[in-house]
């Protein structure tokens, strides 16, 4: 009986070690994905229907006028430099749309690291954590947001790149996973959420 109990404990310990290694490996690949991705994040002035519609109009205008930075040439490494070159054009474009729609909101554009929960875009799932992002802040920027992936260039539906060109084999397996059937996404999200909370305190 005692030997059988020791055998059960050994099995349990072995299982827990295997799970720990699996999660550690998964978390490491998540970190690699976050390091390769650049996101676009547009925040509306408020949640009113008018402000939400305005947010989408600003988004459409930016995607059209900023084609030089939405074509896949923008990466985490060159983001700040290239966006700096286009920043005034992007701000003017956004302000023009806002004015044409009868509003006088300010627009701020920054490149910064920010926390995102686990999200799926088209067939790509991005794990929770901090990503480099181009943030477009409209007015009070207190409303619901819209986001997409600038690198790899997934913001423009007509330009759907082969993600094999942007991610490693391990990263591709991860981003093509369905979070409904991959519980490790939730574990990573809980960990990253707690880490982000402590970082901001």
């Amino acid at each position: 009986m005692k030997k059988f109990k020791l055998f059960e404990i050994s099995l349990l310990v072995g299982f827990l070690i295997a799970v720990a290694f699996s999660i550690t490996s998964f978390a490491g690949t998540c970190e690699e994905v976050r390091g390769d991705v650049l996101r676009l994040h547009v925040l509306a002035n408020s949640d009113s229907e008018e402000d939400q519609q305005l947010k989408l109009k600003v988004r459409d205008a930016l995607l059209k006028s900023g084609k030089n930075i939405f074509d896949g040439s923008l990466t985490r490494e060159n983001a700040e430099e290239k966006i700096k070159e286009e920043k005034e054009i992007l701000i003017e474009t956004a302000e023009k749309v806002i004015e044409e729609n009868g509003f006088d909101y300010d627009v701020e554009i920054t490149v910064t690291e920010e926390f995102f929960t686990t999200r799926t875009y088209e067939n790509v799932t991005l794990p929770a954590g901090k990503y480099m992002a181009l943030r477009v802040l409209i007015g009070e920027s207190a409303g619901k947001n819209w986001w997409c992936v600038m690198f790899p260039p997934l913001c423009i539906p007509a330009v759907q790149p082969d993600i094999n060109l942007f991610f490693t084999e391990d990263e591709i397996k991860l981003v093509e996973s369905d979070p409904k059937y991959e519980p490790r996404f939730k574990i990573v999200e809980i960990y990253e959420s707690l880490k982000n909370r402590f970082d901001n305190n």
Side-chain angles (χ1 to χ4, degrees):
M1 185 75 177
K2 200 170 187 181
K3 285 183 180 179
F4 186 70
K5 199 166 185 180
L6 284 172
F7 177 70
E8 283 185 320
I9 292 171
S10 298
L11 281 178
L12 178 61
V13 169
F15 173 74
L16 292 174
I17 290 172
V19 169
F21 274 117
S22 173
I23 292 171
T24 301
S25 174
F26 186 83
T29 306
C30 288
E31 187 64 34
E32 291 172 15
V33 169
R34 288 190 288 267
D36 289 339
V37 170
L38 179 69
R39 301 170 81 148
L40 170 65
H41 197 196
V42 184
L43 289 87
N45 177 68
S46 75
D47 282 334
S48 72
E49 187 174 343
E50 294 83 1
D51 283 344
Q52 287 296 310
Q53 288 300 315
L54 180 65
K55 171 192 72 179
L56 299 179
K57 290 176 182 177
V58 168
R59 171 203 68 185
D60 292 343
L62 290 177
L63 291 177
K64 187 175 180 180
S65 71
K67 57 186 178 183
N68 292 335
I69 60 173
F70 295 107
D71 62 359
S73 62
L74 202 66
T75 65
R76 274 186 71 120
E77 288 72 31
N78 66 13
E80 292 192 60
E81 181 183 343
K82 288 201 73 172
I83 290 171
K84 188 177 180 181
E85 296 171 5
E86 302 284 334
K87 187 173 179 179
E88 289 308 313
I89 295 171
L90 294 175
I91 290 175
E92 286 173 14
T93 299
E95 288 176 341
K96 183 179 178 184
V97 173
I98 291 168
E99 186 179 345
E100 287 175 349
N101 283 271
F103 298 93
D104 62 351
Y105 301 141
D106 291 328
V107 177
E108 183 182 352
I109 292 179
T110 62
V111 179
T112 184
E113 256 198 341
E114 63 175 314
F115 178 80
F116 289 86
T117 56
T118 302
R119 299 193 187 185
T120 299
Y121 181 84
E122 299 293 335
N123 297 318
V124 174
T125 297
L126 297 178
K130 286 189 175 180
Y131 289 80
M132 185 74 78
L134 169 61
R135 281 167 56 93
V136 180
L137 310 174
I138 303 172
E140 297 296 322
S141 58
K144 289 174 184 169
N145 63 80
W146 177 90
W147 70 275
C148 75
V149 181
M150 292 179 69
F151 185 85
L154 302 177
C155 287
I156 303 172
V159 183
Q160 290 299 316
D162 180 359
I163 63 170
N164 292 279
L165 301 175
F166 300 93
F167 293 123
T168 66
E169 189 177 332
D170 286 342
E171 289 173 322
I172 290 167
K173 286 179 184 175
L174 186 146
V175 300
E176 289 184 340
S177 300
D178 187 335
K180 291 179 183 176
Y181 304 106
E182 179 48 270
R184 289 178 295 182
F185 274 117
K186 193 63 184 174
I187 295 170
V188 167
E189 180 163 352
I190 291 169
Y191 171 75
E192 291 294 333
S193 297
L194 289 171
K195 189 168 78 168
N196 183 59
R197 189 179 300 172
F198 283 118
D199 288 345
N200 291 330
N201 286 338

